[in-house]
Amino acid sequence: NPVQLMRLVEVIATKHTSEETFDTAKAWAARLPDKVVVSCKDTPGFIVNRLLVPAIAQALLMVDRGDATVADIDVAMKLGAGHPMGPCLLADYVGLDTTKAILAGWVANYPDEPAFFVPKCLEDKVFKGDLGRKTGKGFYLWDGDKPLGVAD
């Protein structure tokens, strides 16, 4: 994030995409400077977000259950998985309302997919208007784009 800084381009084939169009799109993207092209079939979130958003939901479920603190989850994923930021901080950065909207949409459209659910702590934060970076408070306190520490 943001998109213009990402080196990745995901090219997606829907059931309506011809092989020629798909190949043309991949070839065009491959000519972009400093970009790496990956592709997949049309699936919720494509590759990155299909894996990332449910991982954020699982992290928040750990918060809901009291399995670990926000700070410990984020440190563990940074140091143990090599992520540039932890999933709770990432949700705050993206916007808790946006994260909730993505998950709620997936739940509505794919009710039988167990990876798609909205954690209670996410619902609660959005209900209170604590949307993360954009409001200055979510799972973290923020000063503009700078996280100041875990919120209460």
PDB file of all heavy atoms in Angstrom, residues 33-69:
ATOM      1  N   PRO A  33       7.002  -0.701 -15.590  1.00  0.00           N
ATOM      2  CA  PRO A  33       8.298  -0.746 -14.899  1.00  0.00           C
ATOM      3  C   PRO A  33       8.150  -1.169 -13.439  1.00  0.00           C
ATOM      4  O   PRO A  33       7.226  -0.741 -12.747  1.00  0.00           O
ATOM      5  CB  PRO A  33       8.816   0.701 -15.013  1.00  0.00           C
ATOM      6  CG  PRO A  33       7.625   1.534 -15.331  1.00  0.00           C
ATOM      7  CD  PRO A  33       6.619   0.642 -16.004  1.00  0.00           C
ATOM      8  N   ASP A  34       9.058  -2.015 -13.008  1.00  0.00           N
ATOM      9  CA  ASP A  34       9.139  -2.438 -11.600  1.00  0.00           C
ATOM     10  C   ASP A  34       7.895  -3.142 -11.088  1.00  0.00           C
ATOM     11  O   ASP A  34       7.571  -3.048  -9.904  1.00  0.00           O
ATOM     12  CB  ASP A  34       9.467  -1.243 -10.696  1.00  0.00           C
ATOM     13  CG  ASP A  34      10.788  -0.595 -11.059  1.00  0.00           C
ATOM     14  OD1 ASP A  34      11.741  -1.339 -11.365  1.00  0.00           O
ATOM     15  OD2 ASP A  34      10.870   0.653 -11.041  1.00  0.00           O
ATOM     16  N   LYS A  35       7.167  -3.829 -11.960  1.00  0.00           N
ATOM     17  CA  LYS A  35       5.971  -4.558 -11.540  1.00  0.00           C
ATOM     18  C   LYS A  35       6.161  -6.050 -11.801  1.00  0.00           C
ATOM     19  O   LYS A  35       6.777  -6.453 -12.781  1.00  0.00           O
ATOM     20  CB  LYS A  35       4.718  -4.078 -12.289  1.00  0.00           C
ATOM     21  CG  LYS A  35       4.367  -2.627 -12.046  1.00  0.00           C
ATOM     22  CD  LYS A  35       3.915  -2.365 -10.628  1.00  0.00           C
ATOM     23  CE  LYS A  35       3.518  -0.910 -10.441  1.00  0.00           C
ATOM     24  NZ  LYS A  35       3.074  -0.628  -9.092  1.00  0.00           N
ATOM     25  N   VAL A  36       5.617  -6.849 -10.911  1.00  0.00           N
ATOM     26  CA  VAL A  36       5.585  -8.305 -11.053  1.00  0.00           C
ATOM     27  C   VAL A  36       4.128  -8.692 -11.225  1.00  0.00           C
ATOM     28  O   VAL A  36       3.261  -8.235 -10.464  1.00  0.00           O
ATOM     29  CB  VAL A  36       6.185  -9.003  -9.809  1.00  0.00           C
ATOM     30  CG1 VAL A  36       6.035 -10.511  -9.907  1.00  0.00           C
ATOM     31  CG2 VAL A  36       7.644  -8.600  -9.626  1.00  0.00           C
ATOM     32  N   VAL A  37       3.848  -9.518 -12.227  1.00  0.00           N
ATOM     33  CA  VAL A  37       2.474  -9.883 -12.558  1.00  0.00           C
ATOM     34  C   VAL A  37       2.172 -11.288 -12.056  1.00  0.00           C
ATOM     35  O   VAL A  37       2.963 -12.216 -12.256  1.00  0.00           O
ATOM     36  CB  VAL A  37       2.244  -9.812 -14.085  1.00  0.00           C
ATOM     37  CG1 VAL A  37       0.829 -10.224 -14.443  1.00  0.00           C
ATOM     38  CG2 VAL A  37       2.543  -8.411 -14.598  1.00  0.00           C
ATOM     39  N   VAL A  38       1.041 -11.421 -11.384  1.00  0.00           N
ATOM     40  CA  VAL A  38       0.499 -12.723 -11.001  1.00  0.00           C
ATOM     41  C   VAL A  38      -0.937 -12.775 -11.506  1.00  0.00           C
ATOM     42  O   VAL A  38      -1.534 -11.740 -11.808  1.00  0.00           O
ATOM     43  CB  VAL A  38       0.552 -12.960  -9.476  1.00  0.00           C
ATOM     44  CG1 VAL A  38       1.992 -12.975  -8.976  1.00  0.00           C
ATOM     45  CG2 VAL A  38      -0.269 -11.923  -8.726  1.00  0.00           C
ATOM     46  N   SER A  39      -1.480 -13.964 -11.581  1.00  0.00           N
ATOM     47  CA  SER A  39      -2.860 -14.066 -12.063  1.00  0.00           C
ATOM     48  C   SER A  39      -3.592 -15.169 -11.331  1.00  0.00           C
ATOM     49  O   SER A  39      -2.985 -16.080 -10.771  1.00  0.00           O
ATOM     50  CB  SER A  39      -2.880 -14.316 -13.569  1.00  0.00           C
ATOM     51  OG  SER A  39      -2.221 -15.513 -13.896  1.00  0.00           O
ATOM     52  N   CYS A  40      -4.916 -15.048 -11.355  1.00  0.00           N
ATOM     53  CA  CYS A  40      -5.763 -16.076 -10.771  1.00  0.00           C
ATOM     54  C   CYS A  40      -7.159 -15.960 -11.352  1.00  0.00           C
ATOM     55  O   CYS A  40      -7.476 -14.991 -12.045  1.00  0.00           O
ATOM     56  CB  CYS A  40      -5.795 -15.989  -9.248  1.00  0.00           C
ATOM     57  SG  CYS A  40      -6.742 -14.632  -8.543  1.00  0.00           S
ATOM     58  N   LYS A  41      -7.964 -16.953 -11.053  1.00  0.00           N
ATOM     59  CA  LYS A  41      -9.371 -16.899 -11.420  1.00  0.00           C
ATOM     60  C   LYS A  41     -10.068 -15.899 -10.511  1.00  0.00           C
ATOM     61  O   LYS A  41      -9.543 -15.502  -9.465  1.00  0.00           O
ATOM     62  CB  LYS A  41     -10.017 -18.276 -11.277  1.00  0.00           C
ATOM     63  CG  LYS A  41      -9.498 -19.297 -12.255  1.00  0.00           C
ATOM     64  CD  LYS A  41     -10.180 -20.632 -12.049  1.00  0.00           C
ATOM     65  CE  LYS A  41      -9.657 -21.660 -13.018  1.00  0.00           C
ATOM     66  NZ  LYS A  41     -10.252 -22.982 -12.784  1.00  0.00           N
ATOM     67  N   ASP A  42     -11.269 -15.518 -10.868  1.00  0.00           N
ATOM     68  CA  ASP A  42     -12.045 -14.566 -10.076  1.00  0.00           C
ATOM     69  C   ASP A  42     -12.472 -15.228  -8.772  1.00  0.00           C
ATOM     70  O   ASP A  42     -13.275 -16.149  -8.756  1.00  0.00           O
ATOM     71  CB  ASP A  42     -13.266 -14.114 -10.879  1.00  0.00           C
ATOM     72  CG  ASP A  42     -13.963 -12.930 -10.261  1.00  0.00           C
ATOM     73  OD1 ASP A  42     -13.379 -12.295  -9.364  1.00  0.00           O
ATOM     74  OD2 ASP A  42     -15.095 -12.637 -10.674  1.00  0.00           O
ATOM     75  N   THR A  43     -11.890 -14.765  -7.682  1.00  0.00           N
ATOM     76  CA  THR A  43     -12.200 -15.244  -6.344  1.00  0.00           C
ATOM     77  C   THR A  43     -12.243 -14.023  -5.433  1.00  0.00           C
ATOM     78  O   THR A  43     -11.568 -13.032  -5.734  1.00  0.00           O
ATOM     79  CB  THR A  43     -11.148 -16.266  -5.862  1.00  0.00           C
ATOM     80  OG1 THR A  43     -11.552 -16.799  -4.601  1.00  0.00           O
ATOM     81  CG2 THR A  43      -9.760 -15.684  -5.741  1.00  0.00           C
ATOM     82  N   PRO A  44     -13.033 -14.025  -4.387  1.00  0.00           N
ATOM     83  CA  PRO A  44     -13.116 -12.847  -3.523  1.00  0.00           C
ATOM     84  C   PRO A  44     -11.734 -12.387  -3.059  1.00  0.00           C
ATOM     85  O   PRO A  44     -10.987 -13.159  -2.465  1.00  0.00           O
ATOM     86  CB  PRO A  44     -13.962 -13.325  -2.344  1.00  0.00           C
ATOM     87  CG  PRO A  44     -14.749 -14.467  -2.871  1.00  0.00           C
ATOM     88  CD  PRO A  44     -13.876 -15.124  -3.900  1.00  0.00           C
ATOM     89  N   GLY A  45     -11.395 -11.150  -3.363  1.00  0.00           N
ATOM     90  CA  GLY A  45     -10.125 -10.582  -2.930  1.00  0.00           C
ATOM     91  C   GLY A  45      -8.946 -10.940  -3.798  1.00  0.00           C
ATOM     92  O   GLY A  45      -7.821 -10.539  -3.497  1.00  0.00           O
ATOM     93  N   PHE A  46      -9.188 -11.730  -4.839  1.00  0.00           N
ATOM     94  CA  PHE A  46      -8.118 -12.196  -5.723  1.00  0.00           C
ATOM     95  C   PHE A  46      -7.103 -12.997  -4.896  1.00  0.00           C
ATOM     96  O   PHE A  46      -7.530 -13.844  -4.108  1.00  0.00           O
ATOM     97  CB  PHE A  46      -7.508 -11.058  -6.529  1.00  0.00           C
ATOM     98  CG  PHE A  46      -8.555 -10.186  -7.195  1.00  0.00           C
ATOM     99  CD1 PHE A  46      -8.449  -8.812  -7.191  1.00  0.00           C
ATOM    100  CD2 PHE A  46      -9.669 -10.740  -7.807  1.00  0.00           C
ATOM    101  CE1 PHE A  46      -9.408  -8.016  -7.791  1.00  0.00           C
ATOM    102  CE2 PHE A  46     -10.637  -9.966  -8.410  1.00  0.00           C
ATOM    103  CZ  PHE A  46     -10.500  -8.588  -8.403  1.00  0.00           C
ATOM    104  N   ILE A  47      -5.813 -12.786  -5.035  1.00  0.00           N
ATOM    105  CA  ILE A  47      -4.860 -13.577  -4.258  1.00  0.00           C
ATOM    106  C   ILE A  47      -4.534 -12.887  -2.932  1.00  0.00           C
ATOM    107  O   ILE A  47      -4.752 -13.437  -1.851  1.00  0.00           O
ATOM    108  CB  ILE A  47      -3.552 -13.842  -5.045  1.00  0.00           C
ATOM    109  CG1 ILE A  47      -3.830 -14.687  -6.292  1.00  0.00           C
ATOM    110  CG2 ILE A  47      -2.522 -14.544  -4.141  1.00  0.00           C
ATOM    111  CD1 ILE A  47      -2.635 -14.827  -7.221  1.00  0.00           C
ATOM    112  N   VAL A  48      -4.025 -11.668  -3.016  1.00  0.00           N
ATOM    113  CA  VAL A  48      -3.516 -11.001  -1.818  1.00  0.00           C
ATOM    114  C   VAL A  48      -4.604 -10.832  -0.763  1.00  0.00           C
ATOM    115  O   VAL A  48      -4.458 -11.283   0.373  1.00  0.00           O
ATOM    116  CB  VAL A  48      -2.869  -9.643  -2.170  1.00  0.00           C
ATOM    117  CG1 VAL A  48      -2.512  -8.867  -0.902  1.00  0.00           C
ATOM    118  CG2 VAL A  48      -1.629  -9.851  -3.020  1.00  0.00           C
ATOM    119  N   ASN A  49      -5.695 -10.182  -1.121  1.00  0.00           N
ATOM    120  CA  ASN A  49      -6.715  -9.910  -0.114  1.00  0.00           C
ATOM    121  C   ASN A  49      -7.514 -11.141   0.271  1.00  0.00           C
ATOM    122  O   ASN A  49      -8.037 -11.213   1.381  1.00  0.00           O
ATOM    123  CB  ASN A  49      -7.621  -8.766  -0.560  1.00  0.00           C
ATOM    124  CG  ASN A  49      -6.912  -7.446  -0.442  1.00  0.00           C
ATOM    125  OD1 ASN A  49      -6.192  -7.202   0.524  1.00  0.00           O
ATOM    126  ND2 ASN A  49      -7.076  -6.584  -1.423  1.00  0.00           N
ATOM    127  N   ARG A  50      -7.577 -12.146  -0.599  1.00  0.00           N
ATOM    128  CA  ARG A  50      -8.266 -13.396  -0.245  1.00  0.00           C
ATOM    129  C   ARG A  50      -7.537 -14.102   0.881  1.00  0.00           C
ATOM    130  O   ARG A  50      -8.134 -14.800   1.703  1.00  0.00           O
ATOM    131  CB  ARG A  50      -8.367 -14.303  -1.483  1.00  0.00           C
ATOM    132  CG  ARG A  50      -8.979 -15.664  -1.221  1.00  0.00           C
ATOM    133  CD  ARG A  50     -10.459 -15.501  -0.839  1.00  0.00           C
ATOM    134  NE  ARG A  50     -11.125 -16.776  -0.728  1.00  0.00           N
ATOM    135  CZ  ARG A  50     -11.150 -17.523   0.366  1.00  0.00           C
ATOM    136  NH1 ARG A  50     -10.514 -17.134   1.448  1.00  0.00           N
ATOM    137  NH2 ARG A  50     -11.812 -18.657   0.392  1.00  0.00           N
ATOM    138  N   LEU A  51      -6.227 -13.915   0.946  1.00  0.00           N
ATOM    139  CA  LEU A  51      -5.433 -14.483   2.036  1.00  0.00           C
ATOM    140  C   LEU A  51      -5.285 -13.508   3.205  1.00  0.00           C
ATOM    141  O   LEU A  51      -5.332 -13.903   4.366  1.00  0.00           O
ATOM    142  CB  LEU A  51      -4.056 -14.889   1.516  1.00  0.00           C
ATOM    143  CG  LEU A  51      -4.073 -15.997   0.458  1.00  0.00           C
ATOM    144  CD1 LEU A  51      -2.693 -16.162  -0.155  1.00  0.00           C
ATOM    145  CD2 LEU A  51      -4.570 -17.298   1.044  1.00  0.00           C
ATOM    146  N   LEU A  52      -5.114 -12.226   2.899  1.00  0.00           N
ATOM    147  CA  LEU A  52      -4.820 -11.232   3.920  1.00  0.00           C
ATOM    148  C   LEU A  52      -6.020 -10.883   4.796  1.00  0.00           C
ATOM    149  O   LEU A  52      -5.902 -10.829   6.025  1.00  0.00           O
ATOM    150  CB  LEU A  52      -4.283  -9.967   3.251  1.00  0.00           C
ATOM    151  CG  LEU A  52      -3.811  -8.852   4.171  1.00  0.00           C
ATOM    152  CD1 LEU A  52      -2.672  -9.326   5.056  1.00  0.00           C
ATOM    153  CD2 LEU A  52      -3.385  -7.655   3.343  1.00  0.00           C
ATOM    154  N   VAL A  53      -7.174 -10.639   4.197  1.00  0.00           N
ATOM    155  CA  VAL A  53      -8.333 -10.199   4.986  1.00  0.00           C
ATOM    156  C   VAL A  53      -8.805 -11.283   5.960  1.00  0.00           C
ATOM    157  O   VAL A  53      -9.050 -10.979   7.131  1.00  0.00           O
ATOM    158  CB  VAL A  53      -9.457  -9.672   4.065  1.00  0.00           C
ATOM    159  CG1 VAL A  53     -10.713  -9.348   4.860  1.00  0.00           C
ATOM    160  CG2 VAL A  53      -8.980  -8.427   3.308  1.00  0.00           C
ATOM    161  N   PRO A  54      -8.908 -12.556   5.549  1.00  0.00           N
ATOM    162  CA  PRO A  54      -9.240 -13.575   6.554  1.00  0.00           C
ATOM    163  C   PRO A  54      -8.177 -13.705   7.659  1.00  0.00           C
ATOM    164  O   PRO A  54      -8.512 -14.004   8.803  1.00  0.00           O
ATOM    165  CB  PRO A  54      -9.356 -14.865   5.738  1.00  0.00           C
ATOM    166  CG  PRO A  54      -9.784 -14.389   4.388  1.00  0.00           C
ATOM    167  CD  PRO A  54      -8.995 -13.113   4.190  1.00  0.00           C
ATOM    168  N   ALA A  55      -6.909 -13.431   7.320  1.00  0.00           N
ATOM    169  CA  ALA A  55      -5.865 -13.462   8.354  1.00  0.00           C
ATOM    170  C   ALA A  55      -6.086 -12.333   9.360  1.00  0.00           C
ATOM    171  O   ALA A  55      -5.902 -12.522  10.567  1.00  0.00           O
ATOM    172  CB  ALA A  55      -4.476 -13.362   7.721  1.00  0.00           C
ATOM    173  N   ILE A  56      -6.485 -11.164   8.871  1.00  0.00           N
ATOM    174  CA  ILE A  56      -6.825 -10.060   9.777  1.00  0.00           C
ATOM    175  C   ILE A  56      -7.999 -10.476  10.662  1.00  0.00           C
ATOM    176  O   ILE A  56      -7.979 -10.251  11.877  1.00  0.00           O
ATOM    177  CB  ILE A  56      -7.152  -8.781   8.980  1.00  0.00           C
ATOM    178  CG1 ILE A  56      -5.891  -8.222   8.318  1.00  0.00           C
ATOM    179  CG2 ILE A  56      -7.809  -7.733   9.882  1.00  0.00           C
ATOM    180  CD1 ILE A  56      -6.138  -7.091   7.336  1.00  0.00           C
ATOM    181  N   ALA A  57      -9.014 -11.085  10.058  1.00  0.00           N
ATOM    182  CA  ALA A  57     -10.177 -11.531  10.838  1.00  0.00           C
ATOM    183  C   ALA A  57      -9.759 -12.537  11.911  1.00  0.00           C
ATOM    184  O   ALA A  57     -10.246 -12.478  13.045  1.00  0.00           O
ATOM    185  CB  ALA A  57     -11.237 -12.126   9.915  1.00  0.00           C
ATOM    186  N   GLN A  58      -8.866 -13.449  11.580  1.00  0.00           N
ATOM    187  CA  GLN A  58      -8.392 -14.420  12.573  1.00  0.00           C
ATOM    188  C   GLN A  58      -7.644 -13.731  13.706  1.00  0.00           C
ATOM    189  O   GLN A  58      -7.789 -14.110  14.879  1.00  0.00           O
ATOM    190  CB  GLN A  58      -7.500 -15.471  11.909  1.00  0.00           C
ATOM    191  CG  GLN A  58      -8.256 -16.509  11.120  1.00  0.00           C
ATOM    192  CD  GLN A  58      -9.133 -17.380  12.001  1.00  0.00           C
ATOM    193  OE1 GLN A  58      -8.776 -17.737  13.125  1.00  0.00           O
ATOM    194  NE2 GLN A  58     -10.294 -17.735  11.481  1.00  0.00           N
ATOM    195  N   ALA A  59      -6.835 -12.734  13.377  1.00  0.00           N
ATOM    196  CA  ALA A  59      -6.121 -11.984  14.415  1.00  0.00           C
ATOM    197  C   ALA A  59      -7.111 -11.299  15.352  1.00  0.00           C
ATOM    198  O   ALA A  59      -6.951 -11.343  16.580  1.00  0.00           O
ATOM    199  CB  ALA A  59      -5.191 -10.953  13.771  1.00  0.00           C
ATOM    200  N   LEU A  60      -8.150 -10.692  14.777  1.00  0.00           N
ATOM    201  CA  LEU A  60      -9.144 -10.008  15.598  1.00  0.00           C
ATOM    202  C   LEU A  60      -9.984 -10.996  16.404  1.00  0.00           C
ATOM    203  O   LEU A  60     -10.420 -10.677  17.512  1.00  0.00           O
ATOM    204  CB  LEU A  60     -10.011  -9.102  14.732  1.00  0.00           C
ATOM    205  CG  LEU A  60      -9.248  -7.994  13.996  1.00  0.00           C
ATOM    206  CD1 LEU A  60     -10.195  -7.133  13.176  1.00  0.00           C
ATOM    207  CD2 LEU A  60      -8.408  -7.156  14.953  1.00  0.00           C
ATOM    208  N   LEU A  61     -10.181 -12.192  15.878  1.00  0.00           N
ATOM    209  CA  LEU A  61     -10.861 -13.238  16.641  1.00  0.00           C
ATOM    210  C   LEU A  61     -10.024 -13.628  17.859  1.00  0.00           C
ATOM    211  O   LEU A  61     -10.564 -13.887  18.936  1.00  0.00           O
ATOM    212  CB  LEU A  61     -11.136 -14.448  15.748  1.00  0.00           C
ATOM    213  CG  LEU A  61     -11.901 -15.606  16.383  1.00  0.00           C
ATOM    214  CD1 LEU A  61     -13.281 -15.158  16.877  1.00  0.00           C
ATOM    215  CD2 LEU A  61     -12.047 -16.740  15.368  1.00  0.00           C
ATOM    216  N   MET A  62      -8.696 -13.640  17.688  1.00  0.00           N
ATOM    217  CA  MET A  62      -7.825 -13.896  18.838  1.00  0.00           C
ATOM    218  C   MET A  62      -7.998 -12.816  19.896  1.00  0.00           C
ATOM    219  O   MET A  62      -7.995 -13.106  21.097  1.00  0.00           O
ATOM    220  CB  MET A  62      -6.358 -13.988  18.392  1.00  0.00           C
ATOM    221  CG  MET A  62      -6.053 -15.223  17.566  1.00  0.00           C
ATOM    222  SD  MET A  62      -4.292 -15.326  17.146  1.00  0.00           S
ATOM    223  CE  MET A  62      -3.643 -15.888  18.747  1.00  0.00           C
ATOM    224  N   VAL A  63      -8.160 -11.562  19.460  1.00  0.00           N
ATOM    225  CA  VAL A  63      -8.426 -10.464  20.393  1.00  0.00           C
ATOM    226  C   VAL A  63      -9.763 -10.704  21.089  1.00  0.00           C
ATOM    227  O   VAL A  63      -9.861 -10.597  22.313  1.00  0.00           O
ATOM    228  CB  VAL A  63      -8.404  -9.092  19.671  1.00  0.00           C
ATOM    229  CG1 VAL A  63      -8.880  -7.974  20.600  1.00  0.00           C
ATOM    230  CG2 VAL A  63      -7.015  -8.800  19.120  1.00  0.00           C
ATOM    231  N   ASP A  64     -10.794 -11.046  20.311  1.00  0.00           N
ATOM    232  CA  ASP A  64     -12.116 -11.321  20.886  1.00  0.00           C
ATOM    233  C   ASP A  64     -12.061 -12.396  21.970  1.00  0.00           C
ATOM    234  O   ASP A  64     -12.704 -12.279  23.003  1.00  0.00           O
ATOM    235  CB  ASP A  64     -13.101 -11.784  19.803  1.00  0.00           C
ATOM    236  CG  ASP A  64     -13.667 -10.655  18.969  1.00  0.00           C
ATOM    237  OD1 ASP A  64     -13.572  -9.485  19.373  1.00  0.00           O
ATOM    238  OD2 ASP A  64     -14.221 -10.957  17.899  1.00  0.00           O
ATOM    239  N   ARG A  65     -11.306 -13.455  21.721  1.00  0.00           N
ATOM    240  CA  ARG A  65     -11.238 -14.579  22.660  1.00  0.00           C
ATOM    241  C   ARG A  65     -10.289 -14.310  23.819  1.00  0.00           C
ATOM    242  O   ARG A  65     -10.239 -15.093  24.772  1.00  0.00           O
ATOM    243  CB  ARG A  65     -10.782 -15.843  21.931  1.00  0.00           C
ATOM    244  CG  ARG A  65     -11.788 -16.391  20.949  1.00  0.00           C
ATOM    245  CD  ARG A  65     -11.386 -17.768  20.433  1.00  0.00           C
ATOM    246  NE  ARG A  65     -10.029 -17.782  19.921  1.00  0.00           N
ATOM    247  CZ  ARG A  65      -9.687 -18.091  18.663  1.00  0.00           C
ATOM    248  NH1 ARG A  65     -10.610 -18.412  17.783  1.00  0.00           N
ATOM    249  NH2 ARG A  65      -8.424 -18.084  18.297  1.00  0.00           N
ATOM    250  N   GLY A  66      -9.501 -13.246  23.718  1.00  0.00           N
ATOM    251  CA  GLY A  66      -8.511 -12.971  24.754  1.00  0.00           C
ATOM    252  C   GLY A  66      -7.288 -13.853  24.649  1.00  0.00           C
ATOM    253  O   GLY A  66      -6.538 -14.005  25.611  1.00  0.00           O
ATOM    254  N   ASP A  67      -7.056 -14.420  23.463  1.00  0.00           N
ATOM    255  CA  ASP A  67      -5.902 -15.299  23.264  1.00  0.00           C
ATOM    256  C   ASP A  67      -4.586 -14.537  23.321  1.00  0.00           C
ATOM    257  O   ASP A  67      -3.569 -15.076  23.762  1.00  0.00           O
ATOM    258  CB  ASP A  67      -5.979 -15.999  21.905  1.00  0.00           C
ATOM    259  CG  ASP A  67      -7.127 -16.984  21.804  1.00  0.00           C
ATOM    260  OD1 ASP A  67      -7.655 -17.414  22.844  1.00  0.00           O
ATOM    261  OD2 ASP A  67      -7.503 -17.326  20.663  1.00  0.00           O
ATOM    262  N   ALA A  68      -4.588 -13.309  22.821  1.00  0.00           N
ATOM    263  CA  ALA A  68      -3.378 -12.483  22.788  1.00  0.00           C
ATOM    264  C   ALA A  68      -3.809 -11.028  22.665  1.00  0.00           C
ATOM    265  O   ALA A  68      -4.923 -10.734  22.234  1.00  0.00           O
ATOM    266  CB  ALA A  68      -2.484 -12.880  21.608  1.00  0.00           C
ATOM    267  N   THR A  69      -2.900 -10.144  23.022  1.00  0.00           N
ATOM    268  CA  THR A  69      -3.193  -8.715  22.909  1.00  0.00           C
ATOM    269  C   THR A  69      -2.947  -8.241  21.481  1.00  0.00           C
ATOM    270  O   THR A  69      -2.233  -8.890  20.702  1.00  0.00           O
ATOM    271  CB  THR A  69      -2.303  -7.890  23.853  1.00  0.00           C
ATOM    272  OG1 THR A  69      -0.936  -7.998  23.417  1.00  0.00           O
ATOM    273  CG2 THR A  69      -2.454  -8.333  25.304  1.00  0.00           C
TER     274      THR A  69
END
